[in-house]
Amino acid sequence: AEFAANFQGKLKDAGVQLLTVLIDEGDITDPVHGRLSADWIGSWVRTTALLGAGKARVIAGKQPYSPGSMDLAVTHLKMIAEIADEVGVRLETENWFPLLTTPSAVHELLDRMEGKLGLCADFGNWPRPESYGTLPQIMPRAETCHAKFEFVSATELDEPHANACLEIAKEAGYNGPFVLVNGGIGQCDWEAMEIQRNRIRR
């Protein structure tokens, strides 16, 4: 608790809002260890609240889509969502990993979660050029967006790709935050993120 309070104070002093804690491990669709993953992820949702973030993004499932895998995802995400509601955190997932490789799977999961789960749409998770047709199908439901662009050099964006992604967001009426994800080449992490930020602002 003392660390969390100190951390929140540092964020405030720096003028930074902690938007989302990304919980990048666990597989709630694992037929053997799914419940254990759900319990572990739930503990991190509680930590998310302590750190002062309003959202926690979790992986929907690392198993290939099947009715059984989707059932496990829904069962365990509902358990995690109860914790999220209790501590005042908005639970989100992402179009990432084998369970959610198609728009239909994304919609099925969100529908079955009945408003208890939000969507973070990631520009870079689905392969091109198919993503130019699949991302528009889920973008209208996105609450946050990982704006991961690709680079052709350390300081030069793949402009056609960036244009296509931003047009998809615009056409969907997306009005949420863009989360910068470094897709640059080489070690210029901050420079690459600044290039992406400036591109979005333009």
Side-chain angles (χ1 to χ4, degrees):
E2 182 180 349
F3 170 81
N6 183 59
F7 181 73
Q8 289 193 46
K10 296 294 185 183
L11 289 177
K12 184 176 180 180
D13 292 344
V16 171
Q17 177 189 358
L18 183 60
L19 177 68
T20 310
V21 169
L22 306 181
I23 304 171
D24 280 354
E25 297 297 335
D27 180 11
I28 60 174
T29 56
D30 186 289
V32 177
H33 303 295
R35 174 58 190 270
L36 184 64
S37 285
D39 290 341
W40 180 82
I41 291 168
S43 72
W44 268 103
V45 170
R46 294 187 187 278
T47 301
T48 296
L50 288 175
L51 295 176
K55 300 175 184 290
R57 195 275 283 126
V58 302
I59 296 168
K62 295 181 179 179
Q63 305 302 310
Y65 177 88
S66 71
S69 293
M70 182 60 74
D71 287 346
L72 279 175
V74 171
T75 296
H76 290 139
L77 283 169
K78 284 185 175 180
M79 292 168 47
I80 298 167
E82 288 183 5
I83 296 171
D85 285 346
E86 176 189 331
V87 298
V89 168
R90 175 64 172 164
L91 193 65
E92 287 190 337
T93 194
E94 186 176 333
N95 56 313
W96 193 29
F97 281 104
L99 185 72
L100 300 185
T101 56
T102 64
S104 61
V106 172
H107 288 301
E108 179 183 349
L109 179 60
L110 295 178
D111 290 345
R112 291 180 63 180
M113 287 299 295
E114 301 177 318
K116 297 294 186 180
L117 182 71
L119 175 66
C120 171
D122 190 304
F123 288 155
N125 284 351
W126 287 348
R128 290 192 286 166
E130 293 86 353
S131 62
Y132 299 143
T134 52
L135 280 172
Q137 298 179 52
I138 66 168
M139 199 70 205
R141 300 186 76 166
E143 298 177 13
T144 58
C145 176
H146 284 180
K148 184 177 183 180
F149 300 133
E150 296 184 14
F151 284 69
V152 295
S153 73
T155 59
E156 183 183 1
L157 277 177
D158 181 336
E159 283 289 343
H161 178 57
N163 291 341
C165 290
L166 291 172
E167 187 63 26
I168 288 169
K170 180 181 177 182
E171 288 296 318
Y174 179 73
N175 196 33
F178 286 103
V179 179
L180 302 178
V181 181
N182 178 34
I185 299 171
Q187 302 301 314
C188 304
D189 291 355
W190 288 109
E191 184 178 4
M193 291 177 72
E194 185 173 359
I195 290 168
Q196 292 176 98
R197 180 192 63 180
N198 292 339
R199 179 64 187 85
I200 291 170
R201 283 179 169 172
R202 289 201 310 274

